[in-house]
């Protein structure tokens, strides 16, 4: 009898642990605090709010190709972002000036849909880089876990898409990172999208969660096992209210109804976003661009200049 009680207690403990893990995964990201020099300029975008009702509002970044500081135009800016990976530090660095600035493209917009776990304002560096080298306006939507309740960023993406409809853009490109692929595929039918670019996209939520757990907490995840972590994933999906088919990129892209011109950037060293199955799609509207030897954070940070140049080439076609 005591043994049975112990087993039942252990099951209850593990069940409670599942709830705790799910809440830790879905809790909102920590906001980034910038210094006054950044706040007084629009170098990394301007925080903008749009509401479709009193209770449904979203904050996002808007970046125009013109750089301003206290209302005055700035001609030269150096963007510098460092990514630490263990003992190695890699740098995203670009110098923006009037000689390499792309002419302004009126009515052109690029939408960025960030990945999980990073405050959307961090993508202000990439939004400025894109605005400068493409001449387009750039909007950065909130991250999937920017706020509560967690829904893979779909509600916020919906509101951002409603804002964009009011602006009458004629040429819209959609760029998503990692888990941002869920939101991008959700709103792609709501807007007239010309190009769809997926950077290190999350292929399957359950697979991604298991992989990240093994990479970040190998002993703990081995003890719990894949089945347990899958139950955590199921709990997150159920509470998010998002249908599970929206969390499987392969199924979305393989559907006969999916005809958007799509470019996927993926790396052979990215364990979080394994993409080998995508080669079996054999669809003319989907192009896979392989970037060698970059892990998931490096892919999302666009740390490779070669990768950045390839993305600009697509957006400037």
């Amino acid at each position: 009898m005591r043994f049975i009680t112990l087993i039942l207690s252990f099951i209850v403990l593990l069940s409670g642990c599942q709830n705790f893990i799910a809440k830790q995964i879905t809790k909102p990201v920590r906001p980034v605090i910038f210094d006054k020099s950044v706040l007084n300029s629009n170098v990394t975008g301007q925080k903008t709010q749009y509401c479709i009702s009193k209770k449904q509002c979203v904050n996002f970044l808007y970046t125009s190709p013109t750089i301003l500081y206290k209302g005055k135009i700035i001609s030269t800016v150096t963007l510098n972002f460092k990514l630490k990976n263990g003992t190695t530090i890699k740098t995203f660095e670009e110098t923006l000036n009037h000689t390499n600035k792309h002419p302004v493209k009126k009515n052109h917009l690029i939408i960025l849909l960030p990945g999980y776990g990073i405050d959307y304002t961090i993508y202000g560096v990439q939004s400025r880089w894109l605005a400068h080298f493409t001449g387009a306006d750039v909007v950065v939507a909130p991250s999937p876990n920017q706020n509560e309740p967690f829904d893979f960023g779909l509600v916020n993406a919906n509101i951002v898409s409603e804002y964009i409809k009011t602006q009458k853009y004629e040429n819209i490109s959609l760029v998503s990172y990692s888990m941002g692929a869920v939101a991008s595929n959700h709103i792609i039918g709501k807007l007239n999208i010309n190009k769809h670019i997926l950077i290190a996209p999350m292929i399957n939520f359950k697979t991604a969660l298991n992989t990240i757990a093994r990479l970040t907490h190998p002993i703990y995840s081995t003890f719990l096992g894949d089945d347990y972590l899958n139950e955590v994933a199921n709990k997150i999906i159920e509470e998010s209210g998002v249908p599970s088919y929206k969390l499987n990129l392969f199924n979305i892209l393989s559907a006969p109804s999916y005809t958007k011109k799509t470019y996927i950037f993926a790396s052979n060293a990215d364990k979080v976003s394994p993409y080998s199955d995508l080669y079996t799609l054999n669809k003319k509207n989907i192009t896979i661009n392989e970037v060698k030897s970059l892990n998931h954070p490096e892919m999302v940070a666009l740390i490779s200049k070669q990768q950045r140049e390839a993305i600009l080439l697509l957006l400037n076609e």
Side-chain angles (χ1 to χ4, degrees), residues 161-271:
S161 67
E162 290 302 316
Y163 162 79
I164 290 165
K165 287 177 186 177
T166 68
Q167 302 302 301
K168 310 297 182 184
Y169 285 103
E170 296 174 2
N171 187 298
I172 303 175
S173 295
L174 194 56
V175 181
S176 68
Y177 307 76
S178 191
M179 190 184 284
V182 179
S184 71
N185 282 305
H186 178 68
I187 66 170
I188 197 168
K190 301 176 185 291
L191 300 167
N192 184 22
I193 302 298
N194 296 85
K195 292 188 181 77
H196 189 200
I197 298 176
L198 303 166
I199 299 169
M202 184 184 76
I203 309 297
N204 180 286
F205 176 60
K206 289 183 182 180
T207 303
L209 190 147
N210 273 274
T211 302
I212 292 171
R214 287 195 298 270
L215 290 173
T216 56
H217 302 286
I219 297 174
Y220 190 51
S221 59
T222 301
F223 169 72
L224 293 176
D226 289 350
D227 290 342
Y228 185 88
L229 292 172
N230 282 335
E231 285 303 312
V232 173
N234 287 333
K235 187 176 290 292
I236 292 171
I237 295 169
E238 181 182 353
E239 292 183 359
S240 73
V242 177
S244 57
Y245 73 86
K246 289 193 173 186
L247 306 177
N248 190 312
L249 182 64
F250 181 86
N251 290 345
I252 292 170
L253 298 182
S254 61
S257 58
Y258 187 89
T259 57
K260 289 289 182 184
K261 190 65 178 172
T262 300
Y263 304 89
I264 299 171
F265 285 82
S267 173
N268 60 332
D270 184 353
K271 296 179 181 179

Side-chain angles (χ1 to χ4, degrees), residues 8-134:
L8 290 173
S9 299
F10 185 65
I11 291 170
V12 170
L13 177 64
L14 286 180
S15 177
C17 187
Q18 278 184 352
N19 289 323
F20 175 77
I21 295 171
K23 288 190 179 298
Q24 290 301 304
I25 291 171
T26 59
K27 68 180 181 181
V29 297
R30 291 181 180 179
V32 176
I33 300 173
F34 293 98
D35 60 36
K36 287 185 178 180
S37 62
V38 174
L39 296 175
N40 287 333
S41 75
N42 72 340
V43 172
T44 57
Q46 182 178 356
K47 277 192 176 182
T48 306
Q49 186 179 77
Y50 183 75
C51 301
I52 58 174
S53 71
K54 288 184 178 180
K55 293 184 178 180
Q56 289 185 297
C57 296
V58 66
N59 293 317
F60 60 90
L61 284 183
Y62 166 76
T63 306
S64 71
T66 303
I67 307 174
L68 300 173
Y69 179 73
K70 292 184 177 180
K72 296 182 179 179
I73 295 176
I74 302 174
S75 59
T76 303
V77 166
T78 298
L79 301 176
N80 190 293
F81 175 80
K82 295 185 185 296
L83 180 68
K84 187 175 182 181
N85 185 17
T87 57
T88 305
I89 296 177
K90 294 187 177 181
T91 305
F92 174 122
E93 186 170 328
E94 295 277 2
T95 298
L96 318 182
N97 54 52
H98 67 279
T99 60
N100 60 20
K101 184 179 180 181
H102 195 286
V104 173
K105 295 177 187 172
K106 289 185 178 180
N107 301 318
H108 279 58
L109 174 71
I110 300 169
I111 307 169
L112 302 187
L113 290 154
Y116 165 87
I118 301 175
D119 186 89
Y120 73 107
T121 56
I122 289 291
Y123 286 81
V125 173
Q126 291 190 22
S127 72
R128 171 54 59 202
W129 164 73
L130 284 167
H132 184 87
F133 286 108
T134 67

